[in-house]
Amino acid sequence: MTNEITESPIKVVQFSRKNFIAQVVIGGLMIAAGIALNVFVAALGGLSFILMSVANNSIDHLRFYQDRMEIKLLALRSRDTIFNKDISDVQVESNVVILTVKESEKKKTKKIPLGYFSEEDKKEIVAYCEGIKNDALRG
């Protein structure tokens, strides 16, 4: 028996359903065009497009914790863990949150595209990131 403590996130954010439905429709049109034109590759591409959309829609894209955030924007990509103490700057542009993160003595930028999320989730993402910025200015 282990004494492992599992911390649950403050907030979990997934992509908007509106984007998922659009991707499935595009994949369906690709399949229909491939069958109509007798092009197997187009139909196979449409099927893979739909499968990737389903895989992408079934994951938690952002997880916010007290001391860190986890970002996983694509199903086939690894999850990035960013500790709040390592974030030196937060910039919110029109449809992107840009985080400046200190990783092994180097500064790197991480971007969170807001266009994939619902309006309510966008506001919460920006509020969380602005909170990190305000905490960094105080501390």
Side-chain angles (χ1 to χ4, degrees):
M1 195 170 188
T2 63
N3 291 336
E4 186 176 317
I5 299 171
T6 57
E7 181 184 5
S8 58
I10 297 169
K11 174 77 177 162
V12 174
V13 183
Q14 293 181 323
F15 287 164
S16 170
R17 291 292 280 180
K18 184 172 59 173
N19 291 332
F20 170 69
I21 292 168
Q23 290 173 345
V24 170
V25 168
I26 290 170
L29 291 174
M30 289 173 66
I31 291 173
I35 291 171
L37 298 173
N38 201 16
V39 180
F40 179 71
V41 175
L44 192 59
L47 180 62
S48 62
F49 194 82
I50 290 174
L51 291 176
M52 284 306 300
S53 298
V54 169
N56 243 356
N57 200 51
S58 64
I59 62 172
D60 298 335
H61 295 94
L62 298 172
R63 292 181 189 163
F64 298 120
Y65 295 88
Q66 238 7 75
D67 63 338
R68 68 186 184 280
M69 74 172 72
E70 296 177 352
I71 302 171
K72 182 173 180 151
L73 296 178
L74 298 172
L76 296 177
R77 195 162 178 211
S78 63
R79 188 173 300 279
D80 288 335
T81 300
I82 301 172
F83 288 92
N84 295 353
K85 64 180 175 62
D86 295 335
I87 298 174
S88 60
D89 188 32
V90 177
Q91 296 176 357
V92 180
E93 294 186 1
S94 62
N95 223 11
V96 177
V97 174
I98 302 171
L99 306 171
T100 304
V101 181
K102 183 180 176 184
E103 285 184 6
S104 64
E105 304 305 320
K106 293 182 182 178
K107 287 191 176 187
K108 296 185 176 182
T109 58
K110 303 279 186 178
K111 295 182 180 181
I112 302 172
L114 298 175
Y116 297 112
F117 301 102
S118 68
E119 289 301 318
E120 180 183 324
D121 288 339
K122 285 180 190 180
K123 290 176 186 173
E124 290 184 18
I125 293 166
V126 169
Y128 180 86
C129 292
E130 289 289 336
I132 294 170
K133 184 179 184 178
N134 294 338
D135 289 345
L137 290 174
R138 278 188 236 128

